[in-house]
Amino acid sequence: AATLGWEPLGGPEFDPVDDEEGIASGFSEFAAMVLLMIMIYAVNWELDFGKYHYWIKQTMTAVGIRYLIETFPKAGPAINPMLGTTWYIFKNGGYPDHLGHYFTYWVASCAGAIFASFLYVVYAGGTLFGKTLPIGPIKEVKPAKKGESKDSKKKK
């Protein structure tokens, strides 16, 4: 890359010098994951763009991920535990030895996904880990017309 004047390959990196425990990086990764999951739930399950749904949702998701990367730069962000760890292995040739890395990319990311799932279940109803929550749904559920299932509406 340097020979051709290109920017060197980069990836998500946890910085143990400026954030020893991984708290700031972990919060950044948590917030990015919550917003990513809410965006995914919205564009896949709440919005309908008709016959162009796939192309519009893919574009919205790509733009959303880019926005999150720019908005939450503290930890990279990976917004994907495996990506954060594989980048470390690629760059350093071994597994991370700092617990802050695992807190940032694994604990915070998974906690963010679970929290976003909780928020979506409160909004739309359903279950979280197989359990119905005592609150929600906030979203008004319209009853199906007699003799019409949810799937039969999609086929029209």
Side-chain angles (χ1 to χ4, degrees):
T3 306
L4 298 173
W6 293 350
E7 187 72 28
L9 188 61
E13 294 187 42
F14 167 73
D15 181 9
V17 175
D18 292 335
D19 185 17
E20 192 165 325
E21 296 84 25
I23 301 300
S25 298
F27 179 75
S28 180
E29 195 74 7
F30 175 86
M33 181 62 82
V34 169
L35 292 174
L36 174 65
M37 296 304 295
I38 289 172
M39 178 185 59
I40 289 170
Y41 296 150
V43 299
N44 284 286
W45 297 335
E46 297 300 323
L47 303 175
D48 184 7
F49 301 108
K51 70 179 191 173
Y52 298 107
H53 182 78
Y54 175 80
W55 299 105
I56 294 171
K57 83 173 179 93
Q58 291 297 96
T59 302
M60 288 177 71
T61 302
V63 169
I65 289 170
R66 188 72 201 151
Y67 174 78
L68 292 172
I69 289 170
E70 295 297 328
T71 304
F72 298 98
K74 187 74 177 161
I79 322 174
N80 177 332
M82 197 62 151
L83 180 61
T85 302
T86 53
W87 172 254
Y88 184 94
I89 294 167
F90 171 77
K91 184 176 180 202
N92 300 300
Y95 288 99
D97 55 358
H98 196 284
L99 289 178
H101 173 91
Y102 295 103
F103 175 77
T104 298
Y105 294 114
W106 289 91
V107 175
S109 289
C110 292
I114 292 168
F115 182 67
S117 299
F118 167 80
L119 293 176
Y120 187 77
V121 169
V122 168
Y123 168 73
T127 62
L128 183 68
F129 295 116
K131 303 290 183 191
T132 303
L133 300 179
I135 55 176
I138 295 170
K139 176 181 172 183
E140 182 180 331
V141 179
K142 296 178 184 175
K145 294 178 185 173
K146 192 167 190 152
E148 186 178 58
S149 70
K150 184 179 178 182
D151 294 332
S152 66
K153 289 181 184 177
K154 291 180 181 178
K155 293 178 183 175
K156 289 184 179 179

